[in-house]
Every structure is written in C-alpha cells, then in structure tokens.
Amino acid sequence: MSKSILRQAKITPHLSSTRGHNSLGWLDTYHSFSFAHWHDPRFTHFGSLRVLNEDRVQPNSGFPTHPHRDFEIFSYILSGELTHRDSMLTKGKEGGQSDKFFRMHRGDVQFTTGGTGIAHSEFNEHNKDTVHFLQIWAIPWKRGLTPRYHTRHFSDEDKRKDFVKILSPLKAGEDATAQEEAEAEPTIPNTIPIHADFVMGAGIIAPEGKFEWTVGGGAAQKNQRKVFIHLPMLKGGKARIRLDGREDAELSEGDGAFVEGVYIGDRLIVESIGEEEAEVIVLDTA
C-alpha cells in the first residue's frame, strides 16, 4: 500500500448511502449536495461546488424547458444519449448540431453559463436506452454574466492515460471584457472555460493502476484548495479507489470524498483497488 504524502490534508469520505435519493419513475437521482426537496446541512456546498447529481433518465423522458440563472451548470455523460436544446430552437428546426442543440453521448460535456437567465431542455429522446450522467453546478465568481453554452468531447482513450482536464477558469478572469467573454478562452487549452476558480478532471484507472492529481490542476488562482472526488456507479459495484494511500479513504461506487487542507502543487494519489476500472471525477475548487 502507498503511504500518505498529504499528511496535513483532511480526507472525509461522503458515502453513497448518505446522499439524497429520489426516484420518480422516469428519473432516478442521487444528490451529493442538498438539492430540490432534499436538504442536509452537512452537504450544502464545497467551495464553489454547489451541486453534484448522479442521474439516470428513462427513454423518451427528461427535463422539459426550464430556466437557469447565475450558476455554471454542466452535464458529464457516462452512458446513453441526452439531447440539449435551447428554448429558442424549435424541435425539428435546429439546423444540425451546435452549442444550442447537441445530442450528447458518452464522453460529451455540455456546459451552460446561466448568467442573467437562460432556458433549455435536457431530454433523453432515445426510444430504448437509459441515459446516465452527472449534473454539476458551480457558483460563479460574479452574478449577471452573459448566458453562454459550450459542448466538447473528451475521449476514453485519453482518460485511460492520465487525468484529462475538462474545465478550467476563463483565462481573462473575473474582469473579462465583452470581447474576451465572447472569445471564451480557457486557462488550459482544449478545456471548457468556467467563470470560477475551479478545475475539473476525469480519469479511467485500470485495476491496480494509479493516477496523480496535482492540486490546482495547473490553472487555479487561490493557493489553498478544496478537492472533491467522485466515483460514479458504473461497474456494478466492482470499481473501488483509495486516496492518498489511506485505508480510511477507500471509496466504492457512488461514494465521494472531501479533501481539505491542500495547496496548489500538492499531489493527490488515486489508486484503483477494485476488480474493474474506475472512472474518477475530480472537482478542484477554492
């Protein structure tokens, strides 16, 4: 077993059994943080991370047109198909795939800046397959931003080599001009820009394999960090991970962990200790 190299860090597992759960027939959802009608004062937010829902939506159902405001919201597709459609687009007249209309599959990430207000739908239009995805919300560094969408694909092949960066802060920062907002350049190339001191990564670790996450993700601003790790329910319970070599930081599918007392440049070791490969989500925030 590896030894801890983050002795100053506090790692607190957030077990799947402590998540909120709601089953509506068309939707089966688990909430890592207080959401909708489920509230737990222990789990309200973690830095700028506000929502992490693990959702399964049945065929020909989903979230009809609904508004968002002043949150950064992103969907990470694990399996199945999810169609994102801006409310201003008439069904059947979308004109092909775009940021405002995108039929997402595994590896796709769809990102929304709610800003001053936006409305869209997220629907599983497939006639037989359930879609399984993570819905994540972050608190932006300021309110009243210009609403915007981004969609990007991140391959399994790359995730099996190392943690792949998914999101990084808008390079121009909190005081970006309108032109810089429109250019939407992220701090890390080939990632999606987010209006927060926030970096997201994802990796697929083979059994007995080990990946290393450098705290801050190479793009953070504030030195002291909070890192949330999540292990989605993908392998029928056969995927497991260990954080920082600690026996008391071993996670099963559906579990998460709060990592506190870490700083930019610290190294967090994630080991795959189950029978199946583990898809690990890293959310690194101030």
Side-chain angles (χ1 to χ4, degrees):
M1 185 184 301
S2 301
K3 294 182 179 179
S4 168
I5 59 173
L6 293 175
R7 295 177 184 174
Q8 84 286 0
K10 178 183 179 183
I11 301 180
T12 307
H14 181 8
L15 301 181
S16 182
S17 59
T18 62
R19 295 188 293 177
H21 179 237
N22 197 7
S23 181
L24 302 175
W26 65 272
L27 170 67
D28 189 68
T29 179
Y30 290 84
H31 310 314
S32 294
F33 297 89
S34 296
F35 188 80
H37 300 297
W38 180 73
H39 179 77
D40 189 319
R42 298 173 298 170
F43 311 124
T44 56
H45 69 99
F46 190 55
S48 57
L49 175 60
R50 173 60 189 87
V51 169
L52 196 168
N53 294 342
E54 187 163 357
D55 292 344
R56 289 183 176 86
V57 175
Q58 294 298 309
N60 295 310
S61 59
F63 303 94
T65 300
H66 56 282
H68 287 295
R69 190 181 187 94
D70 287 322
F71 276 106
E72 306 284 277
I73 299 170
F74 35 109
S75 299
Y76 179 95
I77 310 302
L78 296 163
S79 65
E81 175 184 291
L82 185 68
T83 298
H84 158 77
R85 181 180 283 104
D86 181 84
S87 62
M88 300 302 289
L89 296 178
T90 303
K91 189 171 182 179
K93 297 182 179 180
E94 299 89 353
Q97 299 259 75
S98 68
D99 283 343
K100 292 186 177 182
F101 168 75
F102 203 90
R103 189 152 284 149
M104 298 173 281
H105 298 89
R106 176 167 172 78
D108 289 333
V109 176
Q110 195 280 328
F111 181 92
T112 301
T113 291
T116 54
I118 206 163
H120 64 187
S121 63
E122 291 174 301
F123 226 76
N124 180 5
E125 297 182 356
H126 201 276
N127 59 12
K128 60 183 177 63
D129 292 343
T130 297
V131 62
H132 180 195
F133 66 103
L134 303 179
Q135 180 186 165
I136 308 170
W137 298 19
I139 303 165
W141 49 43
K142 65 179 179 182
R143 300 168 68 89
L145 294 164
T146 300
R148 199 174 306 278
Y149 296 119
H150 299 285
T151 308
R152 194 173 186 97
H153 181 77
F154 300 90
S155 74
D156 284 2
E157 181 182 6
D158 288 340
K159 291 175 196 167
R160 288 190 170 99
K161 297 173 185 174
D162 200 352
F163 282 119
V164 171
K165 308 291 174 46
I166 306 290
L167 307 173
S168 68
L170 181 73
K171 189 174 182 178
E174 189 171 344
D175 299 321
T177 65
Q179 181 176 341
E180 288 169 332
E181 285 282 359
E183 291 170 352
E185 183 181 356
T187 300
I188 299 173
N190 302 316
T191 62
I192 294 172
I194 184 171
H195 297 90
D197 186 357
F198 189 106
V199 181
M200 175 182 178
I204 301 174
I205 313 176
E208 301 184 13
K210 184 187 301 183
F211 282 4
E212 179 179 291
W213 176 262
T214 301
V215 174
Q221 298 161 354
K222 187 177 179 181
N223 185 41
Q224 187 167 0
R225 313 298 299 167
K226 298 173 183 287
V227 180
F228 190 81
I229 305 292
H230 181 69
L231 182 61
M233 300 182 292
L234 283 171
K235 299 295 182 179
K238 294 182 179 180
R240 298 184 71 236
I241 59 173
R242 179 187 297 127
L243 305 180
D244 191 42
R246 305 185 188 192
E247 289 185 3
D248 60 355
E250 295 182 356
L251 308 183
S252 299
E253 292 181 37
D255 293 347
F258 301 98
V259 183
E260 301 173 87
V262 289
Y263 298 84
I264 287 177
D266 283 345
R267 295 180 295 124
L268 175 61
I269 305 299
V270 183
E271 300 172 79
S272 178
I273 59 172
E275 299 174 40
E276 297 280 352
E277 62 183 14
E279 185 158 357
V280 181
I281 309 301
V282 181
L283 303 163
D284 188 318
T285 177

